[in-house]
Amino acid sequence: MRKMLATSDQQNVARAFIDARAGKTPLTVYPGAMPQTMADAYAIQDSAIALDGRRVGGWKVGRIPPELVARYGGNRLTGPIFTDEIVGSADPVMPVYADGFAAAEAEILLCFGEVGTRDYDIDSVRECIADVRTGIEIASSPFPEINRHGPAVTASDYGNNKGLILGPSIADWQDADLIRMPVEMAIDGETVGAATMETMLDGPFGSALFLIGVLRARGIAIPPGTWVSAGAITGIHEIRPGQRAEALFDGKIRVGCSIKSY
């Protein structure tokens, strides 16, 4: 993918999303022409990151539906996770846009060590991973229809990200069978999804490999300590302020949070 500079219209879209997020105001319509390609989406995203000014501490990776892969030229998308929205405390309270879109997703989180400039494949990419944790991604956008207009629209607003909860590390992850690890997600104590990472394309390390490629194409560095939220394992589970989400990994590792209005 070739990096594109944002047009003035794309910069206006980026600014509208930043203003809506800062003002906690919903966007009843998309604030401009909807991006039709991932390059267009990332041009908006890059403009928004520059305007925002906060430090990026990680990236979420999401799946593009199979029926849209040919149209958008790939099977994944990404969006920034800002450092001030990465939470390591136990059972935090996470804010969402109550009048926008909000969801919680059980995810495996990878932490990059030194990535460098070498080329990687699905096996060797493990060599630049320093830690693997359990966690929950909070997806939220002031645009309620963010997921209804295709992956480019989703990517254009930070990939629909609003935070990341760092759960416990997975011991001996280098030898663990992560792909077959059972994962469950519950909302207010009721199970809403259960799956393994066998449904996630080539798994969390495939997400890391994808991210290295797309960020290099965009000229974005990957400093050590950068997190990768590798993709929703049990699905995208919509959630409301006042509710509680809890993910259970391998039948023994729990990661939970409560949701409040932003």
Side-chain angles (χ1 to χ4, degrees), residues 200-213:
M200 290 176 54
L201 301 172
D202 47 4
F205 296 104
S207 293
L209 187 63
F210 158 81
L211 188 63
I212 290 171

Side-chain angles (χ1 to χ4, degrees), residues 80-117:
I81 308 172
F82 293 97
T83 300
D84 63 349
E85 294 181 336
I86 298 176
V87 180
S89 59
D91 205 17
V93 179
M94 302 296 287
V96 300
Y97 299 99
D99 295 322
F101 177 89
E105 304 169 10
E107 309 217 359
I108 289 295
L109 316 179
L110 311 179
C111 185
F112 280 120
E114 189 65 48
V115 175
T117 58

Side-chain angles (χ1 to χ4, degrees), residues 117-196:
T117 58
R118 64 174 285 191
D119 292 330
Y120 294 96
D121 60 25
I122 191 64
D123 296 316
S124 63
V125 74
R126 292 170 176 257
E127 298 171 18
C128 67
I129 302 300
D131 190 14
V132 176
R133 292 197 185 195
T134 55
I136 294 176
E137 182 202 347
I138 300 300
S140 192
S141 168
F143 181 43
E145 297 186 357
I146 182 125
N147 285 341
R148 299 180 188 173
H149 300 281
V153 167
T154 300
S156 69
D157 183 29
Y158 293 157
N160 195 13
N161 178 265
K162 186 59 183 145
L164 187 66
I165 302 159
L166 304 179
S169 294
I170 297 175
D172 302 319
W173 61 265
Q174 295 92 336
D175 301 316
D177 188 1
L178 296 180
I179 294 292
R180 292 177 177 82
M181 177 188 291
V183 180
E184 299 178 17
M185 174 63 95
I187 304 292
D188 288 343
E190 180 178 347
T191 300
V192 293
T196 68

Side-chain angles (χ1 to χ4, degrees), residues 2-15 39-51 156:
R2 183 173 58 86
K3 178 180 174 63
M4 288 179 56
L5 296 177
T7 65
S8 59
D9 287 344
Q10 290 169 335
Q11 290 174 347
N12 288 338
V13 170
R15 189 172 291 106
D40 289 335
Y42 292 140
I44 295 170
Q45 191 185 106
D46 289 343
S47 181
I49 292 170
L51 288 167
S156 69

